[in-house]
Amino acid sequence: MSRIYAWDGIVPVIDPTAFVHPEAVVIGDVIIGPTVYVGPGAVLRGDFGRIILQAGCNVQETCVIHAFPGKDVVVEELGHIGHGAVLHGCHVGRNAMVGMNAVVMDEAVIGENTIIAAMAFVKAGAQVPRNSLAVGSPAKVIRELSAEEIEWKRRGTGVYQQLALEARDKLVPATPLTAPEPDRRRAEAPRYDPLVLERRGFSERP
């Protein structure tokens, strides 16, 4: 059971097809849509403002999402929030990616299909245009993304959509072994399926 807490009578909403890891923490005014993946150690704290994760997005391990008082955090459909990233009072556009350990501050807007590089710092109020690659601290747009790069990002997010659907059956508590088994099987990532939401009867757009 995930660590789900009401705040002042406001209870989080989690779509039945989403996967929220048992070691994630979800507090208050948080709305998690279809086939969203939330990884272990992620903290979604909806006590100051609303947090919305739209269909098919993912929030990976140890991410922190929080809002400036009275503001919302929105991650649109197919948004991809990498390991250790921090979102604070910002808006992440459709099919955008925030890289590992990046920080996106209050009232910043990340455009559709944009990639924020790992370790980047997006300052408060920044407007990062669609289809861009932004790097550095403070983050600056260095070029437009190619169609191939945008498709690469979309495929990576598709793997996490499939993971959200498979994880509830694959993840079970276990007692560690004292030694590897002979011919130990290796873990395999889910196969990319570009129509994973449609096959399960969901639309990418709410």
Side-chain angles (χ1 to χ4, degrees):
M1 182 65 180
S2 301
R3 299 179 186 182
I4 310 298
Y5 301 93
W7 177 265
D8 195 24
I10 303 171
V11 180
V13 176
I14 301 175
D15 188 276
T17 62
F19 176 79
V20 179
H21 191 278
E23 295 301 323
V25 179
V26 181
I27 300 168
D29 195 2
V30 179
I31 301 172
I32 298 176
T35 64
V36 169
Y37 174 88
V38 178
V43 177
L44 283 60
R45 183 158 68 93
D47 52 359
F48 287 3
R50 180 169 293 173
I51 297 169
I52 301 171
L53 305 181
Q54 295 185 0
C57 69
N58 65 79
V59 175
Q60 297 174 17
E61 293 70 35
T62 70
C63 290
V64 175
I65 302 181
H66 191 232
F68 190 82
K71 302 291 185 179
D72 295 347
V73 179
V74 178
V75 180
E76 291 190 23
E77 305 95 318
L78 311 180
H80 192 107
I81 312 303
H83 313 289
V86 176
L87 305 183
H88 204 273
C90 59
H91 189 111
V92 177
R94 189 174 192 272
N95 196 47
M97 182 170 78
V98 176
M100 292 182 279
N101 289 311
V103 176
V104 184
M105 291 299 295
D106 301 291
E107 298 186 342
V109 177
I110 309 303
E112 181 177 7
N113 298 328
T114 284
I115 294 177
I116 304 299
M119 303 292 289
F121 177 80
V122 180
K123 64 184 182 180
Q127 306 285 311
V128 185
R130 67 194 306 269
N131 301 332
S132 299
L133 173 63
V135 305
S137 181
K140 295 181 180 179
V141 173
I142 60 169
R143 63 177 175 84
E144 186 171 337
L145 293 169
S146 68
E148 290 78 13
E149 289 169 320
I150 292 170
E151 178 59 21
W152 168 83
K153 183 271 159 198
R154 189 185 304 276
R155 292 175 66 89
T157 301
V159 171
Y160 270 91
Q161 291 171 346
Q162 190 69 35
L163 181 61
L165 296 171
E166 295 179 3
R168 70 187 68 254
D169 296 323
K170 291 185 174 181
L171 181 73
V172 295
T175 300
L177 304 174
T178 57
E181 317 95 302
D183 301 321
R184 180 179 174 87
R185 186 169 61 88
R186 299 183 67 88
E188 295 183 7
R191 292 181 179 273
Y192 170 68
D193 179 358
L195 299 177
V196 61
L197 294 185
E198 288 81 353
R199 293 185 202 286
R200 300 289 181 124
F202 306 108
S203 170
E204 290 180 354
R205 293 190 180 275

